[in-house]
Every structure is written in C-alpha cells, then in structure tokens.
Amino acid sequence: MQKITGGRGRSPHYDVAILGSGMAGGMLGAVLARNGVKVLLLDAGTHPRFAVGESTIPYTSGLTRIIADRYNVPEIKPLSSFKGITQKVSRNCGQKQNFGFVYHEEGRSQNPGQINQMVVPAALRTETHLFRQDVDAYLFHLAVKYGAHPQLATRIADIEIDPDEGAVLRTEGGQEFRASYVVDGSGFRSPLAEKMDLRETPTRARTHSRSLFTHMVGVRPFDDAPAARGHDQPNPWHHGTLHHVFDGGWLWVIPFDNHAGAVNPLCSVGLTLDPRVHPKGEGTPQQEFDDFLARFPEIAWQFRGAAAVRPWVSTGRLQYSAEQVVGERFCLTSHAAGFIDALYSRGLTNTLELVNSLGWRLIAASRDGDWSMERFGYLEPLQQGLFDFHDDLVHSSFVGFRDYELWNAVNRTWMLGTMLGNVMLEDAHYRFSKTGDDSIFRDLEKSERPGSPLPISDSFHEMGILTRDLCRSVEEGKTDPQDAAVRILGHIKNADFIPPVFGFGERDMRCFNMSPMKMMKNAVWCRKDAPPEMGKRMISASKGLVSVRIRGGN
C-alpha cells in the first residue's frame, strides 16, 4: 500500500467513501448515514439511468426487510414487497407472482409437459419486477436525505490507500476526497480492482455466457401464444418472470405492465447465450435477436410487433471475479467483486447480503476507529462463497439446458435453496422483531459455508455438491443426462430437510404452488419429523410472514 502524500487539509474527510450509487451504494449509504456515519457517495453517472437486475426473489425481499429494521431505516422496508413498492416508491414496477420456465428444442414443437413454475404464495407476499431507474434513484435520494454527501458525474481516476490513515481519491479533474474506508460497488471497471490488480485472470467461473438486452414495448403475454394452450401451470406466465430455456442459453421476459394498476408499458427482454454454442456474429444485436427468433418461432410469437425503446446492450463474456475483495481500508462489493449471470436473479440477493454484513461493521468502525482487516475479514469468504455457489448453480443449469430431464432435476435444487434459505431469514427476522437482539443476525455469520443460502443444513450442502459434480460429469461426456437426473431427484426424495408434502423428489412435480393444505401438512411435519435446525425455523418464519401480512406489509 502507498503512503498518502500531498494536499493534506485541502479536502474534507469522510468516514466511508462509496463508489457507485446504484442499489448497493444507495442502500448502504442510507444505512450508514442514518446511523451517524459521515458518507461520501460517488458515481461516474447520474440518476435516473437504465440498469438490469430487475427481478426480486423471496430471499431478496427477506433481506430487505431485515436491513430496514436492523438499521432503523423504515423507508427501505417498502422495497420488500410489490405492494410497498407501488405505494411508496414507484408505480412503474411490475408484479412477480411466479418464476416460470418453458423448455424449447430447436426444430421441434414445444412439449407442454416440459415446463416448470414456482408460485410465490399470494397469501404471504408478491415479489416485484423493479423498474431500476426509479428504485435506484429512490435509494440514492434516501441516502442524501439522511446526510450522505452526493458527488455524481464524478469519475475516480486514482486511489491511494494508507493502512494507518485511510484513502485519498482523486478525480479525473484533479479533485481530492479523503475517507477512512472505501467501499467499491462500481462494477467491472472497479477503480480499486484495477489499481491493485485484483482481477482473477482467467476467472475461475465455469459458467460461460454473454448477453444482449433492452427494454421493449408491444411484448405479448406468452399465455396467449398457441404454444401455451396445453400448459397446465398454476399461475399465468405473464404474472411473473418468464424464462425461455434451450440448449446453450435462456431468454428473460420481465413485464412491468402485468397488473391492474400498471402505468409502465415497458418489458425487459434479455437473451443470454453460451458463446461456445451460439457464437457472436458480425451483425447488430437487433439482427442477432431477430435471427434467434427465426430459429424459435414459438418464442417469436411473443415478440411480433414488439420494438426496442432504447439501444440494445450487447456484452462479451459476463463472468469475472477477484482474487481478493477485502484489503486494508477497502472492500469490493456487488458487481465490483465479480459476476456470474442474471439467471435466478441472485445478483440483488448477493448485493443485499453484503450491505447487511458490511453495515454494522462500518458503523462500529466509525465509532471506535478500528478499521482493521480483522473486523472486515468475514466479507472475504462471504463474497467468494456467494460467487462460487451461484457459479455452481448456473453452470449446472446450462448443462441441464441440453436435456429436459436433467434441467427438470437441477431446477429443483434452485427452488429449494431460494425457498428454504428464505425460511432461515424469516426466522431470524421474526426473533429479532420480538427481542431487538442484533446477535441473532451476527450468529448467522458463524457458518462453515458462507455464501450458501442454507448454511445450517448438511444435507442441502450435499445436494449441491452432488448436482454440481454430476453436471460436470455430463459436460465431460462421462454420465448420461437422464441418469444424472434420476440420481439428483433420488437424493432430493430422500433428503431429511425437505417437507415430504412438497414433492420435490417426484419427477412430475414440475410446478410448485404452496397451497393452504400444503402449509398445514408442512406445519405438522415441522413439529413432528423435521430436523431440529429446520423445523423450529419454519414454524418461526411462518409466524413472522403471517404477522407481516396482517400488518399489511405485502
């Protein structure tokens, strides 16, 4: 690290400088400023602006509610539900009542039996399609309201860090800012990652994908498509996030106009491809998208008459990582630390994991002056664990896209992680709401598997390893995809951490909807047969979700 030189006393000193004012920077800035931390919020751009990462999952919403209550920032809580967002933040967002997947094979008619869906129980909550330019601006303005100093349209050209004194940040125009600690949530071109040569080259990620995306008008609900007439999913595709999946990739459809009070006609559309299966051509992104639709006419029906309303973004390989994310006086977070793929909407989840774990450490450091790496050390295995877990899951899914039976099995492992991981969060939040004891959240950090959505379960961990290893074996040509599917489903069927009423180990349980009857049977299982680490948490989480519903928090 470098010794800070020159210009002492000519610039104000902040406790924390945050690079990037998107969801991560805005929320963290609000948390810190609300709790008395002197915050500098820097960004090379301005608000409002286009951003992807538009779909929430229950785990994301659970973390949002925890952060709001744990750090006493009530304005964050509306972001934990569709109702709260549309009432308090923006009417431009869409509802998300389900996660939908329709499997396609090029040159063949879509098989109505090859669909998967997980429905978010409307009795408990509805997730959201976030119109990010509104949500990001809301959080940025919230941070400023609580006292964070905004510095937009400011690009950082250089950073000097002294372990004993902090950091000096210099802009392209020669302006200087000083801070005791730097949180870099700026993205791939992270100033700190570049300055300290932290990028892992090549990345360790096994997932290999690229993407092209935009916002469109005129996208038709897939429920009305001829290919969907034989579908038996419990919830309309248009009421949630729809994924068209196929060998070598997937296409997302995220409508903002899918509810009675909708005022936003836009739909987020993105095509994500493995370039080893679908090489990037010389044409424009629009031409590539049109060529793709020509090969999948049943998907193309949804886009007849649709038009992009902003320039397409076309990327190279999406995956990148960092050898180190925590150092003396700094931490890389969110997309500055690394990225896998938008599949399963875990980008926002990982972001909030970091905000939650980083927040209390920065608040404490601002009060006692201890900015040592030891205090922030947990964030290293947490972020690397989040990266590796998501990589295993997405890579296994891309392998599964080759064969529906394998995809049908791998999809269950994602469902279980997002459902049961949220149970763990809701349990912690419910107990905190009753006691106000912050150690409940700190105890969640005492895990041998940081980054796992369900670190308390050995059986869940074993399921992930089995799925990962089988999919790698399929990719290498050593295992038949359908044999791998049978083994994964067999493991799930015999797992002790899954309520039998859920039926996740049954091949034909392609769509999951938590009905009242299933809730009742699950409650009986929790009290009588569930492993202690799961049963008590499920009961507590259910109480918490019901209390939120009664208070109108949905």
Side-chain angles (χ1 to χ4, degrees), residues 129-275:
H129 292 158
L130 302 175
F131 193 55
R132 283 289 302 274
Q133 69 180 52
D134 288 4
V135 174
D136 290 13
Y138 173 83
L139 287 169
F140 169 73
H141 295 142
L142 179 62
V144 174
K145 167 193 166 182
Y146 277 119
H149 178 74
Q151 195 71 32
L152 299 182
T154 302
R155 188 175 299 278
I156 297 300
D158 188 39
I159 301 176
E160 290 183 25
I161 292 183
D162 185 316
D164 298 322
E165 299 181 29
V168 173
L169 302 90
R170 297 187 176 90
T171 71
E172 292 178 337
Q175 193 174 7
E176 288 189 357
F177 301 98
R178 296 175 180 271
S180 296
Y181 200 89
V182 180
V183 177
D184 189 342
S186 59
F188 172 70
R189 292 182 176 81
S190 151
L192 275 173
E194 292 186 3
K195 171 79 175 184
M196 300 178 184
D197 194 25
L198 300 178
R199 282 283 174 255
E200 194 174 45
T201 307
T203 175
R204 68 182 183 275
R206 294 181 71 94
T207 305
H208 200 112
S209 61
R210 62 184 179 90
S211 189
L212 50 146
F213 49 85
T214 188
H215 281 168
M216 305 182 84
V217 293
V219 178
R220 298 192 283 183
F222 193 68
D223 304 272
D224 299 333
R229 288 172 185 163
H231 291 173
D232 61 355
Q233 85 282 3
N235 195 257
W237 298 121
H238 191 60
H239 286 185
T241 302
L242 176 59
H243 310 71
H244 294 288
V245 299
F246 49 89
D247 184 12
W250 63 285
L251 185 153
W252 78 70
V253 182
I254 302 177
F256 301 113
D257 64 348
N258 62 349
H259 56 98
V263 296
N264 185 351
L266 299 181
C267 181
S268 177
V269 177
L271 179 61
T272 303
L273 303 166
D274 183 335

Side-chain angles (χ1 to χ4, degrees), residues 187-471:
F188 172 70
R189 292 182 176 81
S190 151
L192 275 173
E194 292 186 3
K195 171 79 175 184
M196 300 178 184
D197 194 25
L198 300 178
R199 282 283 174 255
E200 194 174 45
T201 307
T203 175
R204 68 182 183 275
R206 294 181 71 94
T207 305
H208 200 112
S209 61
R210 62 184 179 90
S211 189
L212 50 146
F213 49 85
T214 188
H215 281 168
M216 305 182 84
V217 293
V219 178
R220 298 192 283 183
F222 193 68
D223 304 272
D224 299 333
R229 288 172 185 163
H231 291 173
D232 61 355
Q233 85 282 3
N235 195 257
W237 298 121
H238 191 60
H239 286 185
T241 302
L242 176 59
H243 310 71
H244 294 288
V245 299
F246 49 89
D247 184 12
W250 63 285
L251 185 153
W252 78 70
V253 182
I254 302 177
F256 301 113
D257 64 348
N258 62 349
H259 56 98
V263 296
N264 185 351
L266 299 181
C267 181
S268 177
V269 177
L271 179 61
T272 303
L273 303 166
D274 183 335
R276 298 167 300 182
V277 180
H278 304 281
K280 195 171 186 176
E282 298 296 325
T284 66
Q286 182 67 63
Q287 289 171 337
E288 182 171 19
F289 186 68
D290 291 342
D291 290 344
F292 167 81
L293 294 181
R295 302 202 313 273
F296 290 89
E298 291 178 320
I299 300 176
W301 182 94
Q302 194 169 10
F303 298 94
R304 289 178 188 168
V309 299
R310 62 173 63 249
W312 284 86
V313 176
S314 181
T315 75
R317 186 181 180 187
L318 293 168
Q319 293 72 42
Y320 59 91
S321 51
E323 296 177 346
Q324 176 187 347
V325 298
V326 177
E328 295 285 0
R329 301 279 183 153
F330 76 86
C331 178
L332 306 185
T333 70
S334 189
H335 294 167
F339 186 76
I340 296 296
D341 190 279
L343 187 62
Y344 301 127
S345 305
R346 284 192 57 86
L348 293 180
T349 298
N350 295 354
T351 292
L352 299 195
E353 289 267 26
L354 268 296
V355 170
N356 188 40
S357 296
L358 188 54
W360 70 266
R361 290 175 165 86
L362 291 171
I363 293 168
S366 72
R367 293 171 179 172
D368 64 21
D370 177 10
W371 301 94
S372 64
M373 280 186 65
E374 288 76 15
R375 167 165 270 167
F376 299 93
Y378 168 74
L379 300 170
E380 183 74 44
L382 173 63
Q383 291 203 87
Q384 302 292 10
L386 289 167
F387 181 92
D388 290 337
F389 177 85
H390 195 205
D391 184 38
D392 285 347
L393 180 60
V394 175
H395 175 256
S396 296
S397 299
F398 267 83
V399 175
F401 292 163
R402 304 175 181 188
D403 181 277
Y404 177 74
E405 294 300 327
L406 180 55
W407 158 243
N408 185 36
V410 171
N411 181 265
R412 315 296 177 85
T413 68
W414 161 74
M415 286 188 185
L416 287 165
T418 196
M419 286 177 56
L420 299 181
N422 184 56
V423 165
M424 184 183 68
L425 291 183
E426 298 295 351
D427 162 60
H429 181 260
Y430 178 70
R431 289 187 286 125
F432 176 78
S433 70
K434 293 297 183 182
T435 65
D437 183 2
D438 191 73
S439 67
I440 291 169
F441 299 127
R442 300 191 191 194
D443 286 345
L444 291 179
E445 296 183 358
K446 299 174 183 177
S447 166
E448 297 179 357
R449 307 182 190 97
S452 168
L454 193 64
I456 61 173
S457 173
D458 292 337
S459 187
F460 177 82
H461 181 63
E462 292 165 2
M463 178 190 70
I465 292 175
L466 175 71
T467 302
R468 178 196 68 193
D469 292 347
L470 282 171
C471 286

